[in-house]
């Protein structure tokens, strides 16, 4: 099952996030996932690319691109823009292509809509100033970055480009100044953080939405940020019993029925299969409406705790 982007390319609606997967594990993980049927891979949160049969990969942030390239070359052929590379878009993209052993990317996303101090192409560091606060580069606007992203399309290095972690206002601005419209906005959204207004705004204007942390981050964000997981919600647990599914499958199916891409993370083969087995059932309208009632406006991914400042404030 796929959704067609505004560039005409089809993107599988269920993908795999490989955040926090070690380089030595990622090769087997991707090969296993390909065998299960996955054709959309997402590394983390720096950039996003989708290759060939929308075998997608992204995010230099986890420093495993070389291993990914080796694994994907065995299957099809198969890599990004980190905050510190906003002023070095073409160089960063070429660096990812080289590591991933590719000639072009199908989709490339700007990570956060903010430029930070450059620390070297592909290093994906989040430089902090002397006060321990994210060192933002105020000389580079998102518009400047976006026009550099458009150059990637002109140069044939990428087919589609998009944004991440952009609210309605930033998305609206990007639509206003763009020559090449963003194909995707990748945001955190799950039953505890539904963001209906943003999702509907993007979809109304032809921008597809990808849900990162579609299961609410679960153990990882609980560990890192003290978040609350929707997988423990009693309403969702009751629905899981009703449909004879896992809570994760209910949440992913909810995301699919909102016409959003979902990219859950797992390194366990049984979970990979479970997360992919969401196409043979459908939630009723009543149950979709019921899930609306559990929204807590709860963002689970809180980089402010790492960066010393709240970019969402």
């Amino acid at each position: 099952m796929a959704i067609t982007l505004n560039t005409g390319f089809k993107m599988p609606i269920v993908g795999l996030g490989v955040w926090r997967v070690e380089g030595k594990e990622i090769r087997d993980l991707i090969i296993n996932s390909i065998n299960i049927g996955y054709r959309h891979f997402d590394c983390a949160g720096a950039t996003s690319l989708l290759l060939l049969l929308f075998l997608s990969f992204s995010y230099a942030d986890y420093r495993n691109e070389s291993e990914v390239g080796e694994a994907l070359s065995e299957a099809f052929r198969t890599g990004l823009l980190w905050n510190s590379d906003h002023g070095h878009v073409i160089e960063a993209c070429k660096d990812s292509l080289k590591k991933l052993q590719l000639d072009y990317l199908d989709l490339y996303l700007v990570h956060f809509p903010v430029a930070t101090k450059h620390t070297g192409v592909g290093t994906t560091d989040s430089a902090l100033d002397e006060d321990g606060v994210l060192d933002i580069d105020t000389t580079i606007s998102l518009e400047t970055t976006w026009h550099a992203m458009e150059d990637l399309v002109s140069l044939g290095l990428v087919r589609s480009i998009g944004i991440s972690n952009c609210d309605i206002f930033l998305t609206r601005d990007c639509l206003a100044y763009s020559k090449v419209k963003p194909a995707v906005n990748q945001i955190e959204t799950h039953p505890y953080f539904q963001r209906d207004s943003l999702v509907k705004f993007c979809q109304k204007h032809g921008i597809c939405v990808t849900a990162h942390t579609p299961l609410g981050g679960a153990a990882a964000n609980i560990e890192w940020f003290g978040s609350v997981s929707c997988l423990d919600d009693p309403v969702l647990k009751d629905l899981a019993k009703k449909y004879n599914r896992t809570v994760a499958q209910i949440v992913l199916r909810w995301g699919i029925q909102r016409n959003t891409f979902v990219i859950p993370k797992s390194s366990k083969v049984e979970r990979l299969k479970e997360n992919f087995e969401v196409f043979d059932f459908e939630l009723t309208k009543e149950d979709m409406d019921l899930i609306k009632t559990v929204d807590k406006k709860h963002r689970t991914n809180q980089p402010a705790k790492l960066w010393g400042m709240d970019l969402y404030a």
Side-chain angles (χ1 to χ4, degrees), residues 22-307:
E22 298 295 331
K24 63 183 180 181
E25 300 177 59
I26 198 166
R27 180 185 174 280
D28 289 342
L29 171 62
I30 291 178
I31 295 300
N32 286 333
S33 301
I34 289 171
N35 289 336
I36 289 170
Y38 286 87
R39 295 296 183 272
H40 175 176
F41 295 86
D42 190 290
C43 268
T47 47
S48 200
L49 60 94
L50 299 96
L51 318 167
L52 272 52
L53 303 173
F54 255 97
L55 189 61
S56 92
F57 208 84
S58 74
Y59 308 164
D61 190 20
Y62 295 96
R63 300 174 174 84
N64 51 19
E65 292 168 299
S66 297
E67 289 83 359
V68 171
E70 292 171 8
L72 292 176
S73 65
E74 293 186 22
F76 302 106
R77 290 177 51 216
T78 296
L80 326 224
L81 183 71
W82 183 242
N83 305 335
S84 58
D85 283 336
H86 277 225
H88 304 267
V89 174
I90 294 176
E91 300 99 308
C93 182
K94 287 182 175 179
D95 181 66
S96 291
L97 288 169
K98 180 179 179 180
K99 290 175 179 175
L100 286 164
Q101 305 169 37
L102 293 172
D103 297 321
Y104 69 91
L105 308 178
D106 283 324
L107 177 65
Y108 196 66
L109 303 184
V110 178
H111 185 206
F112 276 90
V114 61
T116 60
K117 179 181 178 181
H118 185 58
T119 55
V121 170
T123 59
T124 70
D125 290 329
S126 297
L128 305 181
D129 63 20
E130 61 275 10
D131 297 319
V133 176
L134 189 66
D135 197 347
I136 293 177
D137 187 338
T138 59
T139 69
I140 304 173
S141 68
L142 184 57
E143 181 175 358
T144 299
T145 298
W146 187 255
H147 289 321
M149 294 284 286
E150 292 174 327
D151 289 341
L152 296 177
V153 178
S154 300
L155 292 169
L157 298 176
V158 303
R159 287 181 169 179
S160 303
I161 51 178
I163 51 181
S164 292
N165 301 300
C166 285
D167 61 15
I168 287 178
F169 300 111
L170 288 172
T171 304
R172 174 208 59 192
D173 287 354
C174 190
L175 286 168
Y177 55 65
S178 62
K179 296 176 182 178
V180 178
K181 303 297 182 185
V184 169
N185 186 7
Q186 184 178 114
I187 60 172
E188 177 179 348
T189 179
H190 45 78
Y192 274 7
F193 196 42
Q194 298 187 20
R195 312 179 80 180
D196 270 349
S197 294
L198 176 56
V199 171
K200 290 177 179 177
F201 178 85
C202 289
Q203 292 174 340
K204 177 181 179 180
H205 293 280
I207 301 172
C208 291
V209 172
T210 295
H212 71 67
T213 56
L215 301 177
N221 283 357
I222 290 173
E223 175 189 342
W224 279 33
F225 308 120
S227 302
V228 177
S229 173
C230 65
L231 298 183
D232 296 322
D233 188 90
V235 171
L236 299 177
K237 285 184 174 181
D238 285 345
L239 288 175
K241 292 178 181 177
K242 174 181 177 180
Y243 288 89
N244 193 28
R245 299 283 173 160
T246 66
V247 179
Q249 287 175 322
I250 295 296
V251 172
L252 294 176
R253 183 67 207 183
W254 169 81
I256 288 172
Q257 288 183 215
R258 299 175 84 204
N259 290 318
T260 61
F261 299 105
V262 292
I263 48 173
K265 180 262 180 183
S266 180
S267 58
K268 299 179 180 178
V269 174
E270 59 270 23
R271 288 287 175 81
L272 294 174
K273 292 178 179 177
E274 175 187 303
N275 290 342
F276 204 70
E277 294 172 348
V278 290
F279 300 109
D280 59 347
F281 76 104
E282 184 172 340
L283 301 174
T284 66
K285 181 183 183 303
E286 291 75 19
D287 289 335
M288 289 291 290
D289 289 340
L290 178 61
I291 293 176
K292 286 183 179 180
T293 67
V294 308
D295 191 1
K296 297 181 181 296
K297 308 289 190 292
H298 176 62
R299 184 189 300 276
T300 69
N301 188 349
Q302 294 289 348
K305 297 189 176 183
L306 304 176
W307 292 344

